[in-house]
Amino acid sequence: MTNHIQEQKKKEMNKTIKMITFDLDDTLWHTAPVIKKAQAKIKQHILDEFQKFYPETLDEEFMESLVLVREENPEIHHNLTELRRLSFEKMLDKYGYDTNLSHRLIEKFLHFRHEVTLYPDVEECLHFLQGKYKVASLTNGNANVMRLEIGKYFDIHLSSEEVGVKKPDRMMFHQVSRSLEIPHQRILHVGDNPVDDVQGAVDAGLQAIWINRSQNPWPLDSTDPHEIRDLSELIEFLS
């Protein structure tokens, strides 16, 4: 009986969906190795271009400058790109370099940061959605899906940098609804973070699916959401 009720709810849910929104980091790719590699590459670039920096102290300076910038600029905590640029600026200033070069450094870092490896189920799912639903990305990070080859599957990209707040703030979800003029209740958000993605979307009036690639237990007191292990299960859910 329970399975029958769940199946009926799923059918009703599917009828209403007009847009799928995706989180990016740890939803479409594994983020930790991407950031680790990007940081290693930008550090090497700094050592190659700016001779006053020392490899023995660069890691510590890298971390200290970022921590200080975050403490000094709480009003832009949602803008990871600008925080990172300001940290480069602080490092350059320490050694007497032109701080305007921080703009070049952040562009180089963003190039490295977009060297992602998609999970193997991603492109098949996006291809399945094409033409059936509007598709959007909704991220707190500084990856822009439109810089990637899979950007061709997306109608819009929204980041916390653009909106001015981070998920789970409702404004992030309201903005994507307004951008494509689709009511909140007809949008399905897919993401890995229980608070930022799932609870945030539900509180904003969207439907939500938890993508739980690591098979973790649901950590919140709220009712368990619909859960998938990969995006092939999203195809099954929508079919």
Side-chain angles (χ1 to χ4, degrees), residues 7-18:
E7 192 63 28
Q8 285 299 113
K9 287 177 69 177
K10 172 183 164 182
K11 287 179 180 178
E12 290 303 312
M13 185 176 176
N14 288 352
K15 287 179 185 177
T16 67
I17 297 169
K18 295 296 180 184

Side-chain angles (χ1 to χ4, degrees), residues 29-176:
W29 54 75
H30 186 25
T31 307
V34 175
I35 299 301
K36 184 178 179 180
K37 187 176 179 181
Q39 292 187 157
K41 285 190 171 186
I42 196 63
K43 287 172 186 174
Q44 188 58 55
H45 176 75
I46 288 171
L47 290 172
D48 291 342
E49 295 294 318
F50 304 99
Q51 304 306 313
K52 294 179 185 178
F53 286 95
Y54 297 97
E56 296 82 7
T57 60
L58 185 56
D59 278 336
E60 185 178 349
E61 290 170 337
F62 211 89
M63 185 60 66
E64 284 181 354
S65 64
L66 196 53
V67 169
L68 283 172
V69 163
R70 284 173 175 160
E71 291 175 352
E72 294 168 358
N73 300 275
E75 73 283 358
I76 57 168
H77 72 286
H78 58 276
N79 192 331
L80 299 186
T81 299
E82 182 61 8
L83 289 172
R84 179 77 69 170
R85 188 196 69 77
L86 288 172
S87 76
F88 290 146
E89 185 177 274
K90 191 175 286 289
M91 291 168 65
L92 291 167
D93 185 57
K94 178 180 177 180
Y95 287 99
Y97 289 108
D98 181 0
T99 55
N100 286 323
L101 294 173
S102 63
H103 294 280
R104 280 197 216 169
L105 285 178
I106 191 60
E107 282 306 314
K108 182 68 71 172
F109 176 80
L110 288 175
H111 173 75
F112 297 143
R113 196 259 188 267
H114 284 82
E115 293 177 346
V116 303
T117 300
L118 300 175
Y119 288 120
D121 48 88
V122 170
E123 190 144 16
E124 180 186 2
C125 179
L126 293 175
H127 183 72
F128 168 81
L129 298 176
Q130 194 173 33
K132 299 182 180 72
Y133 304 91
K134 294 293 184 182
V135 179
S137 60
L138 200 60
T139 180
N140 285 347
N142 53 7
N144 185 340
V145 75
M146 298 306 187
R147 293 181 64 153
L148 305 174
E149 187 176 346
I150 58 169
K152 63 188 178 184
Y153 296 111
F154 287 78
D155 295 285
I156 190 173
H157 166 80
L158 281 179
S159 70
S160 58
E161 295 179 10
E162 299 169 67
V163 181
V165 295
K166 298 172 70 174
K167 294 177 294 180
D169 193 295
R170 295 184 183 190
M171 185 56 65
M172 283 285 283
F173 301 100
H174 293 342
Q175 186 62 40
V176 77

